């Protein structure tokens, strides 16, 4: 009976060790995800950038979206909050993604620059 208990404990420990590996491998995929949402200079009008940004940012809180964009080298700014337009600067900034926010959740990408 003791060999069975020992085998069960070994299997349990091996299973728990595998759980830790899955958690540490998840952040490795994040750099690729964030790099795709930040527009390249001169190409921010491409529909592909809008689709990637919407896929990555919509549903996130504004703070989480800002952190995600910052990790990729760009920034997120709220151009509309709960249906009210926000004051924004007019200068072109290729690293800016403007979003609409409702109840502190990004609901759509308004534009780049």
């Amino acid at each position: 009976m003791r060999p069975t208990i020992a085998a069960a404990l070994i299997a349990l420990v091996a299973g728990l060790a595998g759980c830790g590996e899955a958690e540490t491998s998840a952040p490795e995929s994040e750099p690729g995800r964030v790099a795709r949402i930040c527009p390249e200079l001169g190409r921010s009008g491409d529909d592909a950038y809008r689709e990637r940004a919407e896929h990555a940012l919509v549903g996130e809180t504004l703070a989480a979206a800002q952190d995600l964009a910052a990790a990729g080298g760009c920034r997120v700014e709220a151009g509309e909050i709960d249906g009210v337009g926000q004051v924004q600067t007019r200068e072109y900034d290729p690293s800016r993604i403007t979003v609409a926010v409702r109840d502190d959740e990004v609901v759509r990408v308004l534009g780049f620059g």
Side-chain angles (χ1 to χ4, degrees), residues 42-107:
R43 297 192 57 200
S44 61
D46 290 356
D47 287 340
Y49 284 106
R50 180 178 299 276
E51 290 173 15
R52 287 183 200 135
E54 286 184 345
H55 180 71
L57 302 175
V58 169
E60 297 286 345
T61 65
L62 180 58
Q66 290 169 330
D67 291 343
L68 189 62
C74 57
R75 64 188 178 98
V76 168
E77 193 173 277
E80 181 182 296
I81 298 176
D82 295 328
V84 179
Q86 302 299 299
V87 176
Q88 294 182 289
T89 58
R90 289 185 175 228
E91 81 274 355
Y92 177 73
D93 180 355
S95 68
R96 178 175 52 208
I97 302 172
T98 307
V99 297
V101 177
R102 184 170 308 274
D103 297 325
D104 195 39
E105 182 180 303
V106 175
V107 293

Side-chain angles (χ1 to χ4, degrees), residues 25-47:
S25 65
E28 291 176 13
S29 65
E30 287 300 306
R33 177 180 176 207
V34 297
R36 291 191 315 255
I37 68 167
C38 295
E40 292 176 19
L41 184 60
R43 297 192 57 200
S44 61
D46 290 356
D47 287 340

